[in-house]
Amino acid sequence: MSTAAMSPDGVFICPPPGSRVLSIQSHVVRGHVGNKSAVFPLQLLGLDVDAINSVQFSNHTGYPSGFRGEVMSGDQLWSLIEGLESNGLITYTHLLTGYIGSKSMLQTMIKVLDRLRKHNPDLVYVCDPVLGDAGKLYVPPELVPIYQSEIVRAASILTPNQFEIEQLTGMKINSVADAIAACDHLHEMGPESILITSMDVKNPDGSDCDHLSLIGSTRRVQVEGAPYRFHIKVPRLPAYFTGTGDLLAALLLGWSTMYPDDLAKATCTALGALQAVLRRTAEAAIVKQQQSELRNNAQRTSELENTTQDKTQDNNTIDKTHIGERELQLIQSRDDMLRPPDIASIGITLEAIV
């Protein structure tokens, strides 16, 4: 029995037969970032997915006590590709890439893409150029020019955040007009479709907006009535989550197989699913935090009866616990990803840019 998702307008829909994704990005044992945030949603939407882990860590890097694990080398990546090819297993319709933290891996990625397109010239490459966020690079600076000169030009769909598109174009983005100009610059470099996945634009008076902006732009021929450029406003949630960019890129890939000529519809459907996941995660985090604080209060009371406890140490313990409580509730959001809510019902707006 085939898997069928349901669009917000109530239509059951499936990816084209034979759709298979190779996803190359990070992996964590516990939590949902990288491939742990991408593979399950794609499979849920009906795509076959093969995963290569660019890193294998115990947990994501935001935990206070750090992480343990290993980083894959370019030679190791190429060895896997050779093994697949020697057995006739390179049959991919899509390539998805996320965090790649070393120069050798990124340079090998160019070879991988060329080899995949040798077997399928029509392969769609969805590139989430994970460089950094909020003014800070997550990767070595020498990776930026490789993205600019090699990776971006080969991408079919590019999903940078505001900081990443500034790094890729050398352009400062302070407005929607700036974002469209940056998209035009990237289009000339190669990608047919671009989605700026999060952008913080100030109000005219300089104050913070109560929403985040996403900007979409495509030069692919769209179905009649679909905008080629659009601005989406998403209500801010009072919490920070990790893995949201990875999840959005995967959902966009999944829904774009079903709406290949309507980037706005694919984006809105993916966003509806993402927001449902985040809201469920935020609600679960509040409950878990309350339970954790009750346990910590009980523990402190017990310890105070026996000895003096350093309150600073207690607070640090609470902070560490709260990070784990904000891991994405992917499994619990299965139905939301299969049947995303209509964006209007959760306060998301779409405006065409003329």
Side-chain angles (χ1 to χ4, degrees):
M1 181 177 179
S2 62
T3 299
M6 180 184 285
S7 65
D9 50 11
V11 177
F12 284 100
I13 190 168
C14 297
S19 297
R20 181 176 286 273
V21 181
L22 177 62
S23 179
I24 304 176
Q25 47 189 318
S26 60
H27 172 85
V28 291
V29 176
R30 180 68 176 264
H32 293 288
V33 300
N35 273 329
K36 284 286 289 289
S37 194
V39 173
F40 174 65
L42 286 168
Q43 291 173 329
L44 197 59
L45 292 176
L47 293 96
D48 281 314
V49 187
D50 298 331
I52 294 178
N53 301 325
S54 59
V55 303
Q56 179 150 290
F57 291 159
S58 55
N59 47 268
H60 72 67
T61 58
Y63 280 79
S65 296
F67 59 93
R68 302 293 186 274
E70 298 177 346
V71 178
M72 175 178 280
S73 69
D75 289 341
Q76 290 171 324
L77 171 60
W78 189 245
S79 176
L80 293 177
I81 297 300
E82 288 182 320
L84 290 170
E85 186 172 42
S86 66
N87 287 288
L89 298 176
I90 295 185
T91 58
Y92 298 106
T93 58
H94 293 76
L95 171 66
L96 173 63
T97 62
Y99 177 79
I100 298 173
S102 72
K103 185 176 180 180
S104 71
M105 270 286 289
L106 194 58
Q107 289 173 327
T108 303
M109 265 302 310
I110 301 164
K111 291 174 58 182
V112 170
L113 181 58
D114 288 342
R115 186 58 54 91
L116 298 186
R117 282 190 168 150
K118 176 185 175 182
H119 290 267
N120 178 12
D122 297 323
L123 177 129
V124 175
Y125 175 25
V126 179
C127 174
D128 182 9
V130 181
L131 298 173
D133 197 8
K136 180 181 178 181
L137 281 172
Y138 297 157
V139 299
E142 60 263 26
L143 268 59
V144 176
I146 301 174
Y147 271 101
Q148 291 171 324
S149 63
E150 300 287 346
I151 302 296
V152 167
R153 69 173 179 81
S156 310
I157 302 175
L158 195 70
T159 62
N161 60 32
Q162 181 175 359
F163 173 75
E164 289 160 349
I165 196 170
E166 289 177 340
Q167 291 293 310
L168 293 172
T169 63
M171 303 168 68
K172 189 67 177 175
I173 297 177
N174 295 309
S175 66
V176 172
D178 292 342
I180 290 298
C183 286
D184 286 341
H185 182 84
L186 282 179
H187 281 312
E188 294 301 318
M189 295 169 69
E192 192 172 45
S193 298
I194 299 159
L195 178 67
I196 305 177
T197 57
S198 61
M199 198 172 78
D200 197 356
V201 178
K202 301 290 185 181
N203 289 315
D205 62 1
S207 61
D208 291 331
C209 289
D210 60 357
H211 63 267
L212 290 175
S213 291
L214 288 82
I215 302 295
S217 177
T218 184
R219 293 188 174 179
R220 181 185 175 96
V221 176
Q222 301 289 280
V223 296
E224 184 177 355
Y228 283 76
R229 292 174 170 175
F230 52 87
H231 178 196
I232 299 175
K233 296 179 180 179
V234 182
R236 291 180 186 272
L237 294 177
Y240 177 80
F241 307 97
T242 305
T244 55
D246 307 323
L247 177 56
L248 179 57
L251 291 169
L252 178 62
L253 188 161
W255 284 101
S256 68
T257 67
M258 295 175 265
Y259 300 116
D261 303 319
D262 194 339
L263 179 64
K265 189 166 188 176
T267 301
C268 288
T269 309
L271 265 180
L274 173 65
Q275 284 297 298
V277 173
L278 295 185
R279 290 174 185 230
R280 186 180 299 275
T281 302
E283 291 168 1
I286 292 172
V287 173
K288 291 177 181 178
Q289 183 174 332
Q290 291 171 342
Q291 294 172 341
S292 174
E293 288 174 348
L294 286 174
R295 288 194 300 269
N296 286 333
N297 288 337
Q299 180 181 356
R300 282 197 294 270
T301 300
S302 175
E303 289 171 343
L304 285 170
E305 291 175 352
N306 297 287
T307 185
T308 301
Q309 179 72 16
D310 184 349
K311 293 183 180 180
T312 302
Q313 182 178 346
D314 285 342
N315 290 336
N316 288 339
T317 301
I318 294 173
D319 289 340
K320 293 175 184 178
T321 303
H322 290 176
I323 287 178
E325 290 159 2
R326 292 193 298 272
E327 295 283 7
L328 298 180
Q329 298 281 294
L330 276 192
I331 307 303
Q332 298 83 349
S333 304
R334 173 185 180 278
D335 290 342
D336 296 318
M337 290 188 285
L338 266 178
R339 296 169 177 80
D342 181 79
I343 61 169
S345 69
I346 52 177
I348 298 175
T349 61
L350 167 70
E351 301 172 359
I353 299 174
V354 180

